[in-house]
């Protein structure tokens, strides 16, 4: 007998949309079809849309941020909000700050996640001090323990790596078959702009956006791609915000470089105008929201596949003295911690914009929010689709339900949503995680600590192309391996 049947829904994967029942046994999808037989429980999905649970592959949870304060959420509050928004897997970070031992860092984040996570999780490793020991001893151990992706920053004083250090990590990752994800912005341009703006008294939140020149994003992406090409290491460019950034990725992909790009709802739905509001600090994130023309370009890039995923980059800070206003009620833009909440809103915003508005197909929604991140981060053997044998992570959508997002409805610890007042059509009514109904009627039915760690290697996406730059190709040069 089956444990659960989701009956009569329109079931979508990244390839197909079919009307069928989904049969679940022991946490996995056991059958797809009609008349699946007896089940301990049946959910009536007649007239509903059934998709894989969302995978949010870029979110900061209970993390010590670049600004030195911890994100507002714990694993419990963050993953609770994720589940209520239709996300069943997250990939947050184990974040090394300078002076920290990476083994200790990873152990600590595992402790936090084991205690609090309500949905399943993997971890990216943030590296800020790529010492010889970290590169040759710690990364190999941690990658083989199931942390198949590394994240680097090209900006933020506290986090950034210089180009030589970036190359060291890219080269080490190549040997380990790990994916490298990067926050790519030109650090010098930002610090130079910040200094000039503050010196002249331009300190309001809206000048945060001015201090992150769009040229700085395209330049850093281009430089990073060149470094990745030199050592033949696949990369993921996080939170692409500009038309030029997306075009740079498109050009590199066109010549066969293994580079992926993601964008986020804040770049698809918001503009720089938000930062000019009296509470503009809420929208200070890096890179900042840009223009409507950038929004159009990013949507086109998603449609063409130049960008592959849309993640939340959830980086929550409360709008009070513990977070956004920790430097006082009128901080300079430089004193405002960067980031905004988004785990809960990501799936409904994307369902509304892709499916309800008819901008793209239902299959595109599934690809962008679940299947592509599963493939890129090597979780596709378990996650990211509705197929026999996969974990039964499933969302039943009421495609016609209209919901107006508002601060009093959010369930994370930031206490506000960047999308207050926006009405979306389509809402995750039932959320199933490994066969258990964890959200129903807007209520969570899962305990903190019930989420599981998802060990993974870098997988196929992270495998080098085999095309080293001529300068590093032993056959073309010295007969010795420099990579
Ligand atoms: O402003 C943002 N995005 N904060 C989170 C840290 C990062 O840059 O990814
Ligand atoms: Zn970033
Ligand atoms: Zn981030």
């Amino acid at each position: 007998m089956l444990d659960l049947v989701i009956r009569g829904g329109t079931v979508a994967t990244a390839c197909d949309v079919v009307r069928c029942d989904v049969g679940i046994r022991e946490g996995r999808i056991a059958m797809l079809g009609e008349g699946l037989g007896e089940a301990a429980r049946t959910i009536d999905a007649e007239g509903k849309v059934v998709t894989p649970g969302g995978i949010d592959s870029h979110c900061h949870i209970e993390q010590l941020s670049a600004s030195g304060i911890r994100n507002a959420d714990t694993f419990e509050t963050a993953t609770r909000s994720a589940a209520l928004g239709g996300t069943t897997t997250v990939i947050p970070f184990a974040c090394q700050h300078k002076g920290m031992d990476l083994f200790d860092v990873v152990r600590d984040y595992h402790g936090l996640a084991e205690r609090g996570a309500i949905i399943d999780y993997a971890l990216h490793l943030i590296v800020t001090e790529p010492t010889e020991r970290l590169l040759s001893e710690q990364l190999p151990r941690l990658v083989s323990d199931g942390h198949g992706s590394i994240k680097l920053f090209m900006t933020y004083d506290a986090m950034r790596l210089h180009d030589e250090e970036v190359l060291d990590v890219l080269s080490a990752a190549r040997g380990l078959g790990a994916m490298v994800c990067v926050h790519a912005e030109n650090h010098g341009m930002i610090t130079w702009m910040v200094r000039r703006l503050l010196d002249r008294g331009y300190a309001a939140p809206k000048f945060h956006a001015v201090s992150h020149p769009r040229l700085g994003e395209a330049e850093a992406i281009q430089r990073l791609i060149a470094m990745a090409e030199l050592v033949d290491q696949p990369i993921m460019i996080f939170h692409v915000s500009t038309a030029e950034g997306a075009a740079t990725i498109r050009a590199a992909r066109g010549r066969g470089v293994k580079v992926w790009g993601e964008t986020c709802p804040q770049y698809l739905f918001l503009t720089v105008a938000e930062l000019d509001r009296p509470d503009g600090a809420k929208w200070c994130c890096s890179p900042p929201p840009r223009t409507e023309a950038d929004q159009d370009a990013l949507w086109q890039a998603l449609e063409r596949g130049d960008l592959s995923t849309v993640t939340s980059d959830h980086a929550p800070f409360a709008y009070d003295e513990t977070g956004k206003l920790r430097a006082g009620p009128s901080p300079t833009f430089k004193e405002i911690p960067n980031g905004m909440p988004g785990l809960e809103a990501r799936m409904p915003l994307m369902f509304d914009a892709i499916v309800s508005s008819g901008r793209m197909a239902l299959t595109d929604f599934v690809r962008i929010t679940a299947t592509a991140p599963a493939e890129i981060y090597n979780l596709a053997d378990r996650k990211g689709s509705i197929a026999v044998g996969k974990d039964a992570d499933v969302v039943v959508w009421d495609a016609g339900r209209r919901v107006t997002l508002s601060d009093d409805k959010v369930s994370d610890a930031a206490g506000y949503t960047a999308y207050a007042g926006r009405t979306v059509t389509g809402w995750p009514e039932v959320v199933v995680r490994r066969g258990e109904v964890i959200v129903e009627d807007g209520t969570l039915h899962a305990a903190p600590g019930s989420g599981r760690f998802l060990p993974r290697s870098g997988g196929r996406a992270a495998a080098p192309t085999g095309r080293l730059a001529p300068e590093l190709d032993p056959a073309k040069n010295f007969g010795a391996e420099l990579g």
Side-chain angles (χ1 to χ4, degrees):
M1 189 165 84
L2 293 164
D3 299 324
L4 176 66
V5 168
I6 300 171
R7 181 156 294 154
T10 299
V11 178
T13 68
C15 308
D16 292 304
V17 178
V18 285
R19 254 200 86 175
C20 72
D21 303 343
V22 181
I24 295 165
R25 190 185 296 122
E26 291 174 2
R28 298 210 182 157
I29 296 171
M31 294 181 194
L32 295 169
E34 283 172 355
L36 299 184
E38 286 287 293
R41 181 169 176 196
T42 298
I43 292 175
D44 179 11
E46 202 70 46
K48 305 281 163 65
V49 173
V50 179
T51 69
I55 298 179
D56 196 332
S57 50
H58 177 178
C59 47
H60 303 263
I61 300 181
E62 215 163 342
Q63 185 199 306
L64 196 55
S65 70
S67 60
I69 60 171
R70 207 167 279 280
N71 298 130
D73 273 317
T74 60
F75 268 85
E76 181 180 347
T77 59
T79 56
R80 174 181 74 198
S81 74
L84 287 161
T87 289
T88 51
T89 300
V90 282
I91 316 184
F93 302 91
C95 177
Q96 182 197 41
H97 280 249
K98 294 194 196 299
M100 291 180 179
D101 182 277
L102 189 59
F103 282 154
D104 294 343
V105 167
V106 173
R107 188 200 55 229
D108 290 350
Y109 279 93
H110 271 288
L112 297 172
E114 273 163 31
R115 208 165 28 250
I118 284 165
I119 57 176
D120 293 350
Y121 57 93
L123 290 171
H124 302 293
L125 305 171
I126 291 183
V127 171
T128 58
E129 235 172 17
T131 58
E132 183 50 37
R133 175 168 174 253
L134 182 145
L135 294 170
S136 63
E137 188 188 319
Q138 298 194 313
L139 277 185
R141 261 270 295 288
L142 291 167
V143 172
S144 82
D145 285 350
H147 309 91
S149 50
I150 299 163
K151 185 203 179 170
L152 310 178
F153 287 89
M154 294 171 80
T155 186
Y156 290 127
D157 288 321
M159 316 297 281
R160 78 186 180 110
L161 301 190
H162 299 280
D163 288 356
E164 278 179 58
E165 295 172 314
V166 172
L167 284 163
D168 279 341
V169 178
L170 291 173
S171 176
R174 182 180 196 269
L176 300 170
M179 179 60 78
V180 176
C181 310
V182 182
H183 178 134
E185 286 188 280
N186 180 304
H187 184 69
M189 282 190 197
I190 295 170
T191 52
W192 187 80
M193 290 293 291
V194 167
R195 190 159 38 87
R196 285 175 80 85
L197 286 161
L198 292 179
D199 282 352
R200 288 158 179 76
Y202 299 115
K206 69 177 174 185
F207 295 108
H208 169 71
V210 183
S211 76
H212 285 249
R214 49 191 308 122
L215 278 169
E217 178 174 271
E219 184 282 328
I221 292 174
Q222 179 55 57
R223 182 158 36 101
L224 176 70
I225 288 171
M227 290 192 276
E229 276 190 88
L230 179 67
V231 300
D232 184 27
Q233 166 58 35
I235 48 171
M236 159 61 80
I237 315 285
F238 272 173
H239 46 48
V240 177
S241 68
T242 59
E244 298 89 322
T248 306
I249 292 170
R250 176 176 170 78
R253 286 173 66 89
R255 57 176 193 276
V257 181
K258 277 181 93 170
V259 50
W260 283 265
E262 63 159 40
T263 189
C264 313
Q266 47 270 42
Y267 310 114
L268 295 170
F269 302 111
L270 304 175
T271 68
V272 63
E274 312 290 350
L275 280 79
D276 200 15
R277 293 158 61 145
D279 51 355
K282 288 178 179 171
W283 290 271
C284 281
C285 62
S286 294
R290 306 284 185 177
T291 67
E292 283 177 13
D294 290 301
Q295 293 179 353
D296 289 345
L298 295 172
W299 278 112
Q300 271 182 33
L302 282 169
E303 281 161 23
R304 288 196 297 236
D306 304 337
L307 299 178
S308 304
T309 65
V310 173
T311 67
S312 67
D313 192 8
H314 179 81
F317 298 99
Y319 187 66
D320 63 21
E321 68 290 348
T322 67
K324 291 284 187 183
L325 306 181
R326 70 181 175 144
S330 303
T332 68
F333 70 82
K334 183 70 179 133
E335 295 168 320
I336 299 168
N338 283 192
M340 63 174 74
L343 263 170
E344 192 166 13
R346 178 186 74 118
M347 293 286 280
L349 285 167
M350 295 306 292
F351 189 95
D352 176 61
I354 293 179
V355 183
S356 306
S357 78
R359 185 191 284 268
M360 284 190 256
L362 179 54
T363 49
D364 295 318
F365 168 77
V366 172
R367 175 174 52 79
I368 288 167
T369 60
T371 312
E375 283 170 359
I376 293 168
Y377 297 109
N378 199 24
L379 291 168
D381 55 338
R382 291 154 278 178
K383 304 289 187 187
S385 191
I386 296 182
V388 171
K390 305 256 189 206
D391 285 356
D393 295 345
V394 179
V395 180
V396 180
W397 294 83
D398 180 344
R401 180 160 162 209
R402 286 169 62 77
V403 174
T404 300
L405 305 177
S406 68
D407 291 351
D408 58 346
K409 286 191 200 135
V410 299
S411 39
D412 60 41
Y416 74 92
T417 168
Y419 307 94
R422 181 181 288 264
T423 299
V424 294
T425 302
W427 197 255
E429 199 169 61
V430 177
V431 180
V432 177
R433 179 217 56 195
R434 279 183 278 104
E436 277 180 59
V437 177
I438 62 166
V439 175
E440 205 172 12
D441 299 327
T443 308
L444 185 78
H445 303 281
S450 58
R452 288 190 193 154
F453 176 57
L454 300 165
R456 74 218 147 82
S457 65
R460 203 159 54 88
T465 64
R467 291 189 299 274
L468 270 170
E471 295 82 354
L472 281 178
D473 188 338
K476 295 195 181 110
N477 282 288
F478 326 96
E481 174 69 75
L482 285 186

